[in-house]
Amino acid sequence: MLFEHIGIIDENFEYQANQWVGVKDGRIAYIGAEAPADAAAYGETYDGTGRLLMPALVNAHAHAPMTLLRGYAENLPLQRWLSEKCWPFEGKLTPEDMYWGTVLSCAEMARYGVVSFSDMYYATPERAQAVTEAGMKANLCECEMYFEPKPFAEYPTCAKMADFAKRFHGAADGRIRIDYSIHAEYTSNPVTCADIAAAAKEAGLPIHLHLSETKSEHEECKQRHDGMTPLQYFESIGVLDVPLTAAHCVWVDDADIRIMVKRGVTAVNNPASNMKLGSGYAPVAKMLDAGVNVALGTDGMASNNNHDMFSDMYLMGLIYKGYANDPAIITPQQVLRAATRAGMLAQGRKDCGLVKEGFAADLCVLDVTGPQWCPMTDALYNVVFAGAGSDVVLTMCDGKVIYRDGDFATVDVERAKAEVSTRAARIIAEL
């Protein structure tokens, strides 16, 4: 495809008007102010008038099958939300349920310009199938809770992870990647977690976990582990010896932030989920100022209710200004990087997340002709503060269109909706 006369957000997260962008063999092969000499070689020409092209979004912390819980677990703090609602519901889920939940999540994310997500849940083969069929990218980890202090090898998840790494890491032309997982400090133990860290290191794979999501989690960890915060505790048992994606990070302190920088930890901000569950506000500005790789995620649909990452970009760009009484605390460039490049780096996808020649053609196109886009005084501020997922008119992953003008090229969205509705109703009736 050759995009002509289109505005772009370039590799420096700056706006460039009236550009040509050529996609060939799954990659961005040309960017320029004039048509390429070999324009005919790119196939379809896309009229970019009234359109803006930007890197596709990355949902760096998700629980895709939890679309089945959308609207079910409401108005509860985290621990009651988990124990009274989520865990009983999840105990009724079948692998097929989780497949359909993931299918619907893929459709919803593609609709809103997302091409890749980091997913922590169960039924990894079924989730991998859904992502592969959707033509998207995902880092998948098998979530488990390790309450009994015994070697990781004695948990069935150990053998599962070795199998999944062999079968799925690098599958679907590299679109599927496998991570190891620890749900959280309060749902695990040091013996098993140390073994998981060693297994991940031996396999050369990252770890994805929840970190300091609530004040009680953070403070109770210190009581259990000689004053160590969750991050300090995980560092002490080797978890930070591999690339780590740490979701939430709401209650991390200054010492934690220094460790993040030193050890290359990615912090995933989940502003909608953290506010909805009353967990608090992550010190995002401090982390950014210190040099932490801060990515952006929706979390699951029981604590956010939608996969529209434009909503999360809006919140990230807005709430910290009010919280800190500082209107300049976070820039649109930082928000856009968190929603794109930072997430790809966390996933180990170094050649993704930018509109840059040679990079994977993971792109989304926005219709910027609506009244909320006028005037285009500053395109980046418009994207973050005026744009919405509904403005996305095209989503492309590795050069292949997966959503365009209301059509889902890879997902039967009506069947997915019907399956999820029926299965959610069945489970609720059983509870």
Side-chain angles (χ1 to χ4, degrees), residues 66 69 72-73 80-91 93 121 302:
M66 290 185 80
L69 284 86
Y72 172 69
R80 288 186 59 199
W81 176 82
L82 285 170
S83 62
E84 296 178 19
K85 289 288 189 176
C86 293
W87 289 342
F89 188 107
E90 290 173 328
L93 289 170
Y121 218 67

Side-chain angles (χ1 to χ4, degrees), residues 348-429:
R349 304 179 193 272
K350 297 180 180 179
D351 59 348
C352 301
L354 297 172
V355 179
K356 181 177 181 179
E357 288 185 7
F359 270 47
D362 297 327
L363 304 168
C364 67
V365 176
L366 310 180
D367 179 348
V368 295
T369 61
Q372 79 275 25
W373 289 90
C374 182
M376 190 80 85
T377 306
D378 189 312
L380 272 67
Y381 279 89
N382 276 14
V383 171
V384 173
F385 293 112
S390 56
D391 294 319
V392 174
V393 292
L394 183 147
T395 305
M396 175 182 283
C397 182
D398 278 349
K400 295 180 180 178
V401 174
I402 58 174
Y403 171 82
R404 185 172 183 176
D405 297 328
D407 293 327
F408 295 84
T410 56
V411 174
D412 184 343
V413 70
E414 293 304 320
R415 182 177 178 190
K417 287 160 58 180
E419 292 279 359
V420 167
S421 296
T422 301
R423 292 166 187 277
R426 182 204 83 225
I427 293 169
I428 291 171

Side-chain angles (χ1 to χ4, degrees), residues 151 181 298:
S181 175
T298 62

Side-chain angles (χ1 to χ4, degrees), residues 3-4 19 39 62 72 92 102 145 161 169 185 230 264 286-287 312 318 328-330 342 366 390 412 417:
F3 299 92
E4 63 173 2
Q19 297 291 296
Y72 172 69
K92 302 284 187 180
T102 305
M145 297 175 197
M161 284 304 304
H169 190 65
E185 179 274 331
K286 273 190 175 183
M287 289 190 283
D312 289 274
L318 184 69
I329 196 167
I330 291 178
L366 310 180
S390 56
D412 184 343
K417 287 160 58 180

Side-chain angles (χ1 to χ4, degrees), residues 198-217:
K201 186 174 183 179
E202 182 177 355
L205 298 177
I207 291 176
H208 185 173
L209 53 74
H210 297 98
L211 186 85
S212 296
E213 184 173 358
T214 65
K215 186 175 183 179
S216 60
E217 170 197 340

